[in-house]
Amino acid sequence: MVVEKQLISKISWRLMPFLGILYLIAYIDRQNVSFAKLQMVDALGMSEYAYGLGASLFFIGYFIFEVPSNLFLEKFGASRWFARILVSWGLVTIALAFTQSAGMFYVLRFLLGVCEAGFFPGVLYLMTLWYPARYRGAMVGLFMIFSAVANAIGAPLGGSLLAMDGLLGLKGWEWVFLVTGVPAVIAGIVTWFYLDDRPEKATFLTAVEKDWLKKRIDDENSNLGTEGGHAFKALLDPRVVLMSVCFIGFPLSAYGLSYWLPTVLKSFGIGNVANGFLNIIPWVVVSVALYVVPHMAARARWQTPYIVIPAFFGAICLVLSAVISNQTLQFAFLCLAAGGIFAGQPVFWSMPSRFLRGAGAAAGLAAINSVGNLGGFIAQNVVPWIKDATGSTIAPMFFLAACLTVAGCLVFIVERLISRGEEQSQESGRIS
């Protein structure tokens, strides 16, 4: 006999801390560019806009290779494919420390996106293999908490590494890339040996536990119909297409805020080290929000409000940060905005599992994430452009707020499409 909660706890203790640490490393590698910018712009003789363009090329490489990468993961297994992802992105991050020109910076940022493509949706795909549907939102929230921890760690780390300018003949921004790239290479090697590809191959589960989990997930997947398991059909599914467009607003506002926040604090006259430590605060707020909101949603019959309300709250806080002149209040509203931006995303990611499975889930999740993360490309180009056009470091928050509001509104349409599909599946099931 299998006790469900004990089995879920057993799986979670085995998977979530490890996957979370990998995500922590990934997020630090993504965000190190925002701190390196504080010195790198002058070192390479680049404008804010030119640097933002180079930083954003990560998302183009990510977009192009996201779906193929997730399909390779489904074919080769998580342990080998995640190991490849981690080692390759770690080596490219290290190479960024030796950037000599804007052109080299552009190429390496693009390659970093190529190398990392498939990691986040790969983890989402693993959730569909290891967890029954009712647990996935909370698990994604727990997983994403590590992104907040990464920002909390990365912020003071980035500021401290910049302060090492001149040590061993290296510039501060070079230390940023060297120190943040090495852990990814080490973690990739560990991943090859530690991570189980799927429950059937797990050595830490008993035969009874494996059989129970397989039957439970197979029963859930049997209600999704046959089309939900086909990769190509998933890419053309209107629900996937709309979710991809809808999701753009979340990474756009998230990356826009996290990328630009160090610059906002610098405009307040705050030094590099203090800047780094102040950047811990918004991610503490995010951590709390990522735990509380998905767990509340898991107990609710209708989960859409747990996506939309945090998004609208985040948008309001972004606007308030731009219209209030007091710097302390500006920073406080930016911290609250960060919580609103992230809180509903785990609940959002539980929606595709209502109609996708297998290769369809691998392709669909990757498509949603890859298109959505183009928001990062948009943010890292439009935000500095707005700053250059207005001369204000806080004015871009209006743009981020507008995009987050549109995303929140589109969630209602997504929910309606998914619910309609579920009604049709139930009706066809009754007929047959």
Side-chain angles (χ1 to χ4, degrees), residues 29-30 42 67 90 171 183 197 258 269 304 321 324 346 350 394:
D29 276 1
R30 286 191 189 189
D42 292 334
V67 173
K171 298 181 177 66
D197 292 336
S258 61
T304 302
S321 74
I324 294 175
S350 68
I394 203 69

Side-chain angles (χ1 to χ4, degrees), residues 118-410:
F119 176 71
F120 183 79
V123 171
L124 297 179
Y125 172 64
L126 285 187
M127 299 290 183
T128 69
L129 302 179
W130 287 90
Y131 290 101
R134 62 175 294 202
Y135 297 100
R136 291 171 194 163
M139 290 302 111
V140 174
L142 183 62
F143 172 68
M144 289 185 66
I145 285 175
F146 283 87
S147 68
V149 175
N151 278 285
I153 294 173
L157 176 64
S160 299
L161 291 173
L162 286 178
M164 292 169 59
D165 191 45
L167 181 64
L168 299 180
L170 295 173
K171 298 181 177 66
W173 63 267
E174 292 173 332
W175 279 113
V176 169
F177 291 121
L178 283 173
V179 172
T180 57
V182 171
V185 177
I186 297 172
I189 298 171
V190 174
T191 298
W192 182 284
F193 298 99
Y194 180 85
L195 191 61
D196 295 298
D197 292 336
R198 54 181 61 238
E200 302 92 279
K201 298 182 179 181
T203 56
F204 69 95
L205 295 179
T206 67
V208 174
E209 289 170 335
K210 293 176 185 178
D211 291 341
W212 181 90
L213 188 61
K214 184 178 188 304
K215 184 179 185 304
R216 173 70 176 272
I217 293 177
D218 285 348
D219 287 345
E220 291 181 347
N221 288 340
S222 66
N223 297 322
L224 301 180
T226 57
E227 293 189 359
H230 293 279
F232 183 70
K233 289 181 179 179
L235 296 177
L236 299 179
D237 191 312
R239 292 167 292 188
V240 171
V241 174
L242 183 57
M243 286 194 74
S244 301
V245 175
C246 174
F247 188 58
I248 290 175
F250 292 100
L252 192 156
S253 52
Y255 282 111
L257 181 57
S258 61
Y259 171 78
W260 199 245
L261 189 55
T263 303
V264 172
L265 290 177
K266 184 179 180 180
S267 73
F268 293 169
I270 295 171
N272 289 337
V273 175
N275 193 328
F277 280 98
L278 281 173
N279 266 273
I280 294 175
I281 298 173
W283 305 113
V284 172
V285 176
V286 169
S287 297
V288 174
L290 282 172
Y291 181 82
V292 172
V293 173
H295 279 79
M296 291 174 63
R299 296 191 293 268
R301 294 184 62 184
W302 190 35
Q303 296 190 340
T304 302
Y306 294 92
I307 309 172
V308 175
I309 292 175
F312 289 164
F313 174 78
I316 291 170
C317 289
L318 286 170
V319 170
L320 289 174
S321 74
V323 299
I324 294 175
S325 59
N326 183 281
Q327 293 180 347
T328 301
L329 288 177
Q330 283 181 329
F331 180 64
F333 280 119
L334 290 174
C335 292
L336 293 173
I341 291 167
F342 281 90
Q345 291 188 41
V347 189
F348 179 90
W349 282 118
S350 68
M351 298 174 79
S353 62
R354 291 162 59 184
F355 62 95
L356 295 175
R357 60 181 173 83
L365 290 167
I368 294 166
N369 194 57
S370 64
V371 174
N373 271 275
L374 288 176
F377 175 83
I378 296 169
Q380 292 186 349
N381 283 280
V382 175
V383 167
W385 177 81
I386 293 174
K387 187 267 181 182
D388 289 343
T390 63
S392 169
T393 56
I394 203 69
M397 299 306 134
F398 288 114
F399 171 68
L400 302 184
C403 294
L404 190 58
T405 301
V406 172
C409 292
L410 288 176

